[in-house]
Amino acid sequence: MLCKPEAEVPSQSTRPSCDFAAWALFALGIAPVALMLRFVLTNWLPLPYWDEWSTPGAMFVSWCQGTLSFADFFEQHNESRKVFPRLIYLTLAQIRGGWDVRKEIALLFVTVCAICALFYRLIRATPGATTRAALTAWIAATLLAFSPGQFENFLWGVQLEPFLVGCGVLAIAAVNTSGIPLVWKCVVNATIALLATYTVANGMLLWVLGLPLLARGESLSRRKIYFAYAPYLVCAIAAIRFYFIGYNHPGHHPDLLPEGTRVLALGHYLLLWVGSYFYSPHFDPLAIGAVASVAWLAALGATMRLILRGRSWRTFYPPLLIGAYACVTACVTAFGRIGFGVNQALDMRYRTFSLFFYLALLGLLFAIYCSCVRQAGILRRRVFAVTCGILAVLAMSAWTSSYIAAAKHATVMYHRNLTLLRALEWVDVIPDNPDLLLIYPIIDQLLERTRIVREHKLLRLGFAENRLLKQVRKPPPSDAADSFGRFDTCMFDPNHNLYITGWAWLPDRDRRADCVVIGCQDASGRFKPISVLETGVRRDDFSAEPGRRDAGFSRTFNPANVPAGDITIAAWGIDVVNKKAYPLGGATRVAAGVR
């Protein structure tokens, strides 16, 4: 693909002459992929988070208890019936034994790579496309697919599901533009649409969008066409009808298009839905959404004019199909979520869908270029180049700003997730830790499901063992020295949150403590662990001892599980490897009235 044979030279063997410019473009397109891969490998953690405790969490509980049934795979999750994802999760759990969400994250990454590969396949097949032009558009596609706005989605395994459906859309476009006979297109597209339907709710759109098309030059009798389409339509009706048997509108979701919803509010929601993809403090998502929408409408209008003037509609079919999927999904989302308010459109989860809006815009611009601009006069080429240049500059400015903001947020997000992971690992000693609510808001279900999957060795985290549990349930000695660390600050802030700083050291291993368990002792002498803190905060006061510079800890947290009355805050430094707890000095008494 990237090399072309050199003309033969007499008396010399024929040697391939590589197109180094094409290889350079390919390397440039790989850069965003490598950047995202580095980010994922640096920040991923084996922490099941929010929806993952419902799907696949509930299924894993049934599996462990031996009650998993066929009906469990069709159980409704919000508006979706996640049959296919549940099969994937169950399969992944049996690879190297255990529920590790990093397996889903790895598959998510591969899926997005497949999306980019399919996109290149589609644009390279555009009549008039060259390798270099297609690679240039592909670079833009990889920048979009691996955008910094997706950082958080790439660390959440459940986001595999919408990416799978989007990948199905591009796969259908590739099938319908191929020379495969109609009958086989019906089989392949029906399979993709069926899998998408039972992956995410909007996957059922693929039955309509994936309607098989006759290949260019294929001629069939009306009877054979009916014979091919009839089973496809029967499968579509059956799949959708079965989907809604026993379906219930989620009680925690607003009604579809609540009464009093204004058209302007819907428009505002849609623009935010589009513009959130490049969200950053320096770019207004509403403005970005407006610019992108105008560009999309202009490209769509140009496409319609070209088709009406005799250009083949097949040239524009792939981006139109992708755009239809994105636009219908946006409208369905707006109708179903506008009750939460327009700002709900900024939720990072929806960027897995809005990606396809930008891929469609990119594909349309590329098809227009290949169809009429490439062979047009110099004035038209310049106008098109200037227009695309302006859009590219705006997009790259927004992308760069988004990257800077996301890179800063990534550090915060990693430490937040690490704190949540510690809270889950220490759930036996601190079952009322408020941090657990950030993992899954239904705390009773979280505790029960954690217990079951842990007992069956399906969830293999670094849970605190009995030896450590016994130690940290006792109060540290009141006269603990500073050999292993101490509190520097312990107070309630004006918002009634507990603010703690200090440091913790393990002399036996000559390194910082793995974590710190904070507890409180009431007037009766009863000690209760209340939170787990990570170490790793830089301490400039240890500049003379470089090894201890990262031994600090600092955190403000919700003291909802702290008992009322006068209390003494104390802590243990934890050595997870040797299963030891070391008392920290500086235990602090806090007056009840401060809170």
Side-chain angles (χ1 to χ4, degrees):
M1 177 183 70
L2 300 178
C3 297
K4 57 183 180 181
E6 230 178 24
E8 289 188 0
V9 178
S11 73
Q12 293 183 2
S13 60
T14 302
R15 295 179 182 179
S17 174
C18 291
D19 187 341
F20 291 105
W23 280 108
L25 290 171
F26 177 76
L28 192 59
I30 289 294
V33 185
L35 189 66
M36 184 63 80
L37 179 61
R38 178 180 178 276
F39 168 80
V40 170
L41 295 178
T42 303
N43 292 280
W44 66 351
L45 292 169
L47 172 70
Y49 183 68
W50 271 71
D51 285 12
E52 290 168 324
W53 286 99
S54 294
T55 303
M59 177 190 68
F60 284 148
V61 169
S62 298
W63 185 31
C64 291
Q65 294 177 327
T67 60
L68 185 63
S69 66
F70 180 76
D72 289 329
F73 288 93
F74 290 85
E75 185 179 352
Q76 188 177 332
H77 180 129
N78 291 336
E79 296 94 344
S80 301
R81 296 191 185 275
K82 302 185 177 185
V83 180
F84 184 49
R86 287 185 172 108
L87 289 171
I88 293 177
Y89 300 143
L90 192 59
T91 301
L92 291 176
Q94 298 183 67
I95 299 175
R96 299 184 66 182
W99 178 22
D100 188 336
V101 294
R102 290 175 295 187
K103 298 175 186 176
E104 288 98 82
I105 294 172
L107 186 56
L108 181 158
F109 191 90
V110 171
T111 301
V112 180
C113 289
I115 289 172
C116 292
L118 284 168
F119 185 82
Y120 178 80
R121 153 74 174 77
L122 292 170
I123 61 175
R124 184 64 184 88
T126 303
T130 64
T131 298
R132 293 185 187 182
L135 283 172
T136 301
W138 178 72
I139 291 171
T142 59
L143 285 168
L144 287 170
F146 295 93
S147 164
Q150 298 279 23
F151 274 5
E152 198 162 346
N153 286 326
F154 270 84
L155 294 176
W156 195 12
V158 75
Q159 292 298 73
L160 165 68
E161 298 162 10
F163 279 126
L164 282 173
V165 175
C167 188
V169 173
L170 273 76
I172 283 175
V175 170
N176 275 349
T177 54
S178 71
I180 299 174
L182 180 64
V183 172
W184 285 107
K185 284 182 178 178
C186 289
V187 173
V188 174
N189 287 7
T191 302
I192 294 173
L194 180 64
L195 294 176
T197 299
Y198 289 93
T199 295
V200 179
N202 73 328
M204 65 182 70
L205 291 173
L206 271 63
W207 288 107
V208 176
L209 299 177
L211 190 68
L213 304 177
L214 285 168
R216 190 188 300 270
E218 184 179 12
S219 179
L220 293 177
S221 66
R222 184 174 298 178
R223 180 173 176 274
K224 289 183 177 179
I225 292 176
Y226 286 158
F227 177 78
Y229 279 132
Y232 180 89
L233 296 176
V234 169
C235 289
I237 294 170
I240 296 173
R241 177 68 186 90
F242 186 79
Y243 186 97
F244 286 101
I245 294 177
Y247 178 87
N248 295 302
H249 180 77
H252 58 286
H253 287 179
D255 294 334
L256 194 67
L257 272 181
E259 186 178 352
T261 301
R262 297 179 299 171
V263 174
L264 285 178
L266 283 173
H268 190 182
Y269 189 100
L270 290 171
L271 291 179
L272 289 177
W273 187 90
V274 172
S276 68
Y277 202 78
F278 293 102
Y279 180 78
S280 76
H282 304 293
F283 284 83
D284 182 5
L286 185 63
I288 295 174
V291 172
S293 298
V294 169
W296 164 256
L297 292 174
L300 183 62
T303 299
M304 294 298 105
R305 286 197 302 271
L306 289 171
I307 293 174
L308 291 175
R309 291 177 181 176
R311 303 284 182 176
S312 174
W313 59 268
R314 292 179 184 272
T315 301
F316 307 96
Y317 169 75
L320 288 176
L321 179 70
I322 299 169
Y325 166 74
C327 292
V328 175
T329 297
C331 291
V332 171
T333 303
F335 292 167
R337 298 291 190 269
I338 190 68
F340 286 127
V342 294
N343 286 330
Q344 201 264 350
L346 297 174
D347 195 306
M348 61 91 186
R349 293 174 296 175
Y350 297 146
R351 295 172 195 169
T352 55
F353 299 110
S354 55
L355 162 65
F356 298 94
F357 176 90
Y358 289 96
L359 290 180
L361 174 58
L362 177 61
L364 269 187
L365 291 174
F366 185 80
I368 292 170
Y369 167 77
C370 294
S371 179
C372 68
V373 176
R374 186 165 174 261
Q375 304 297 331
I378 189 169
L379 179 61
R380 179 176 292 184
R381 293 202 305 271
R382 285 180 177 176
V383 170
F384 185 84
V386 169
T387 302
C388 290
I390 292 173
L391 290 175
V393 169
L394 290 174
M396 281 307 301
S397 299
W399 194 98
T400 303
S401 178
S402 177
Y403 179 83
I404 294 172
K408 293 178 180 178
H409 177 64
T411 302
V412 176
M413 183 176 62
Y414 173 76
H415 288 293
R416 180 207 67 181
N417 289 345
L418 192 57
T419 297
L420 298 183
L421 180 62
R422 291 296 190 195
L424 190 61
E425 291 174 340
W426 286 81
V427 68
D428 289 341
V429 69
I430 318 176
D432 58 352
N433 190 336
D435 289 337
L436 295 173
L437 291 170
L438 302 178
I439 299 175
Y440 188 64
I442 308 176
I443 194 66
D444 292 339
Q445 288 186 9
L446 175 64
L447 296 177
E448 179 67 10
R449 291 173 184 178
T450 300
R451 180 186 63 80
I452 293 172
V453 294
R454 177 187 172 186
E455 286 177 353
H456 288 80
K457 302 187 184 303
L458 189 62
L459 186 61
R460 301 177 180 180
L461 301 180
F463 291 103
E465 298 186 10
N466 288 333
R467 181 178 171 184
L468 271 177
L469 299 182
K470 291 178 180 178
Q471 291 182 70
V472 301
R473 282 175 174 150
K474 300 176 181 178
S478 58
D479 58 349
D482 297 347
S483 304
F484 310 112
R486 67 172 287 110
F487 284 116
D488 291 331
T489 308
C490 179
M491 58 181 289
F492 288 96
D493 68 14
N495 295 320
H496 307 292
N497 292 315
L498 189 58
Y499 174 59
I500 288 178
T501 66
W503 60 276
W505 187 254
L506 304 177
D508 293 346
R509 294 171 58 197
D510 195 29
R511 57 153 290 155
R512 63 186 173 92
D514 296 312
C515 59
V516 175
V517 174
I518 305 294
C520 61
Q521 187 173 6
D522 59 21
S524 65
R526 178 176 174 270
F527 184 76
K528 175 186 178 183
I530 57 173
S531 187
V532 184
L533 276 61
E534 275 297 308
T535 57
V537 176
R538 184 179 178 86
R539 297 277 302 206
D540 292 332
D541 53 332
F542 288 139
S543 57
E545 302 175 81
R548 294 198 182 195
R549 285 181 182 174
D550 62 349
F553 58 85
S554 175
R555 193 182 171 211
T556 301
F557 59 93
N558 180 2
N561 59 342
V562 174
D566 291 344
I567 55 174
T568 299
I569 303 294
W572 294 95
I574 305 300
D575 182 348
V576 174
V577 174
N578 295 318
K579 301 176 180 58
K580 292 182 180 180
Y582 298 92
L584 304 188
T588 305
R589 189 168 186 80
V590 181
V594 174
R595 286 189 294 143

